Amino acid sequence: MNDCKIAVLKGDGIGPEVVESAKVVLKAASESAGLLMELIDFPIGMEAYRVFGRTLPPSTLEGMKSCDASILGPLQTGSYPSDDKDSPMSSGKIRKYFDLYANIRPVRSFNREKPNTKIDLVIVRENTEDFFPNINLHKGYGEFWTDKNTVLSLRVIRRSSCERIARTAFELASARNKRKLVTAVHKSNVLAEGDGLFLEETRKVAKEFSPQISLEEKLVDSTAMELVMNPKRFDVILTTNLFGDILSDEAAGLVGGLGICPSLNAGKDYAIAQAVHGTAPDIAGKGIANPVSEILSTVMLLEWLSFRNADGLRFKEIARIIENAVVSQLLSQNQDERTLDLGGNASTQDFTSMLLRRISDG
Ligand code: NAD
């Protein structure tokens, strides 16, 4: 009998390339740790459309539900064929379906030249509402035309959602045991009600964690600047959906780009590993995408599973095997061991093969 079942969904653009890499790496590491892990493919996006005429077939959702968790590639949000039965389809739709309310996005530097300029922060982003509410007014989100010249956008902020995402951020700051600081990022000078509510709930949760963990509140605009000028001052950044989406790509730019930044979509009972980046149409199909973001997202998924499985230590062990191999490869001085986005020469496949060798050599 298998110890764990993971659904694998390749997605669009560079998705098949990076998800395949994450899959073979996970398979090799779990075998070396003696864990029986079943990795089951389900079609999504254009792969599913070509077969079923729809991008999110019910059989795919059922398949995901029958597994313990999923690994998902990027989706070409907003540009599926007009006769797609599931459009508008996006990663956000799947996150809402499984109520994956926390999007956890660590940003770490792997700087070979200047190891003491290390950036190590995590963005905790609310993942189910804000300007991405759970209602289909127009093309998927809360937008509607009042007349042919005016669009109104709906922003949803609920007390219960603020409370649970704030709790996630404080628990993470405790577990990280680093600067012990949660920075709540908002725009309450303009969005007084919604972000006012977000801050009100955050302050309540902060009291429970005080004085071990400190809370600071910062406007999103000045945070965007400070992230560039002094990223090392941050520990856990807690924010709403849209701000978190933008700040995490900005932060990725400080550490080498989207190719190395992982992300986990987590709820109470389910989680999905999915890289921060999108489908990268400019490099899709060329075999040069960096698979690290998807692989490290899978490491985060293993850690999430370790708290929900009787064999948790083995999940942690596999996570460490993969992470150590990735970090040592990223820190290598050899250009042939890095992908193009990091100034190297390795293709996705070369990078993956070298990683597999590192894993089998222990
Ligand atoms: P993108 O993240 O796809 O690409 C931005 C830049 O980063 C590009 O130059 C790309 O080549 C580079 N890049 C991204 N991932 C890389 C990797 N693994 N290795 C090397 N380089 C990498 O963002 P975009 O171009 O703004 O969006 C393209 C599409 O992706 C859009 O349809 C968008 O809606 C979708 N998207 C999907 C998700 C998701 O499903 N989670 C997230 C973001 C964007």
Side-chain angles (χ1 to χ4, degrees), residues 14 18 72-79 90-92 95 105 245 249 257-260 274-284 288-294 339 341:
I14 59 170
V18 296
L72 173 64
L75 301 172
Q76 57 180 60
T77 307
S79 57
S90 67
S91 304
R95 293 167 190 165
R105 296 186 156 185
D245 196 14
D249 273 34
L258 288 164
I260 59 171
Q274 188 185 35
V276 171
H277 61 72
T279 57
D282 52 338
I283 58 166
I288 56 171
N290 189 340
V292 166
S293 178
E294 196 70 45
T339 43
D341 56 319

Side-chain angles (χ1 to χ4, degrees), residues 95 98-104 125-128 164-165 168 263-274 300-301 304 308:
R95 293 167 190 165
F98 286 99
D99 196 24
L100 307 178
Y101 60 86
N103 187 203
I104 301 168
R125 164 195 177 200
E126 203 290 322
N127 214 18
T128 54
R164 65 183 184 173
I165 197 65
T168 303
S263 135
L264 185 74
N265 301 287
K268 210 161 76 54
D269 304 313
Y270 203 80
I272 299 181
Q274 188 185 35
M300 293 178 75
L301 185 67
W304 184 87
R308 286 154 182 86

Side-chain angles (χ1 to χ4, degrees), residues 122-179:
V122 186
I123 294 177
V124 175
R125 164 195 177 200
E126 203 290 322
N127 214 18
T128 54
E129 48 187 43
D130 192 2
F131 281 111
F132 310 61
N134 206 358
I135 24 183
N136 261 355
L137 288 175
H138 178 52
K139 288 186 179 162
Y141 298 119
E143 291 190 311
F144 54 97
W145 293 83
T146 57
D147 61 50
K148 68 179 172 43
N149 298 314
T150 311
V151 175
L152 291 186
S153 303
L154 192 68
R155 184 178 194 239
V156 177
I157 303 287
R158 273 176 303 190
R159 193 179 291 283
S160 56
S161 304
C162 296
E163 195 275 337
R164 65 183 184 173
I165 197 65
R167 192 165 294 286
T168 303
F170 278 87
E171 284 171 357
L172 191 60
S174 304
R176 276 164 62 81
N177 204 14
K178 294 205 164 152
R179 291 180 50 91

Side-chain angles (χ1 to χ4, degrees), residues 185-186 218-231 234 237 243 246-247 250-251 254:
V185 176
H186 63 96
K218 273 187 90 60
L219 289 169
V220 64
D221 26 2
S222 58
T223 303
M225 178 203 68
E226 203 144 358
L227 251 184
V228 175
M229 297 195 66
N230 191 10
F234 293 103
I237 292 177
F243 297 159
I246 297 167
L247 290 179
E250 184 194 357
L254 300 170

Side-chain angles (χ1 to χ4, degrees), residues 44-66:
I44 197 165
M46 286 308 293
E47 182 191 3
Y49 176 80
R50 282 189 284 272
V51 181
F52 299 102
R54 57 194 303 175
T55 50
L56 187 58
S59 54
T60 289
L61 275 177
E62 286 308 312
M64 292 172 81
K65 273 201 277 185
S66 72

